[in-house]
Amino acid sequence: AKQVKERIEPEINKLVEEASKLNTDFEKILYVHDTIITNTEYIDSDNRKSYQTLVSIFDEHKSVCAGYTYGFKLVMDRLGIKTISVRDVGNKDSDINHIWNMVYLYEKWYNIDLTWDDIRYKDSEIILKI
């Protein structure tokens, strides 16, 4: 665990540092969102269980919804931006449940789903509308 933390911490710190230079929380959220999905490959295979953590985002740059969600939340927490993780547990098959984030911005909660943004818009510019 210590070795993994030593590998991923510099990348996390760089992302936090770059986002911290921006003026508004909206700009910080958008920067982190875009940076994570630009640098991460969505894994859609039988080996999905290996990509369920924030380590998969910052070490392997491959993930599924849990990795995107936990990685984004960690960075938001370090930036002081209120963020929660929301899990869909309505499916009997846990392999098809989904997890995403909500961010608190401009006195309202907004859904933000890096997984679906990465899958659907890999070849186009991402636009986050508030």
Side-chain angles (χ1 to χ4, degrees):
K2 184 178 177 182
Q3 290 174 343
V4 171
K5 184 176 180 186
E6 287 173 359
R7 282 197 318 264
I8 68 173
E9 199 64 37
E11 188 167 338
I12 295 166
N13 290 338
K14 181 180 176 189
L15 186 53
V16 171
E17 182 180 325
E18 292 299 315
S20 295
K21 294 176 184 176
L22 299 170
N23 294 321
T24 67
D25 284 351
F26 175 81
E27 292 172 314
K28 293 172 187 176
I29 292 165
L30 183 59
Y31 176 79
V32 173
H33 169 277
D34 289 355
T35 301
I36 288 176
I37 66 172
T38 298
N39 295 308
T40 305
E41 176 187 351
Y42 178 77
I43 296 299
D44 191 16
S45 72
D46 294 337
N47 195 23
R48 298 167 50 91
K49 294 192 189 293
S50 305
Y51 298 98
Q52 298 282 337
T53 71
L54 62 90
V55 174
S56 65
I57 289 288
F58 297 112
D59 192 30
E60 301 171 51
H61 301 281
K62 297 177 181 178
S63 197
V64 295
C65 59
Y68 286 92
T69 299
Y70 300 139
F72 182 79
K73 180 163 181 8
L74 174 71
V75 175
M76 291 295 105
D77 288 349
R78 291 191 183 181
L79 290 169
I81 298 172
K82 289 183 188 177
T83 308
I84 60 172
S85 301
V86 181
R87 180 176 294 275
D88 165 22
V89 293
N91 298 305
K92 291 179 182 179
D93 180 358
S94 64
D95 285 340
I96 60 173
N97 286 334
H98 187 56
I99 188 168
W100 65 95
N101 299 100
M102 292 183 76
V103 293
Y104 192 74
L105 183 66
Y106 307 131
E107 300 182 23
K108 293 183 181 178
W109 285 99
Y110 294 92
N111 288 297
I112 184 167
D113 190 330
L114 280 72
T115 307
W116 284 111
D117 290 343
D118 195 14
I119 293 169
R120 291 186 178 172
Y121 304 106
K122 195 63 167 181
D123 296 326
S124 64
E125 182 179 339
I126 302 299
I127 300 170
L128 181 63
K129 295 182 179 181
I130 300 291

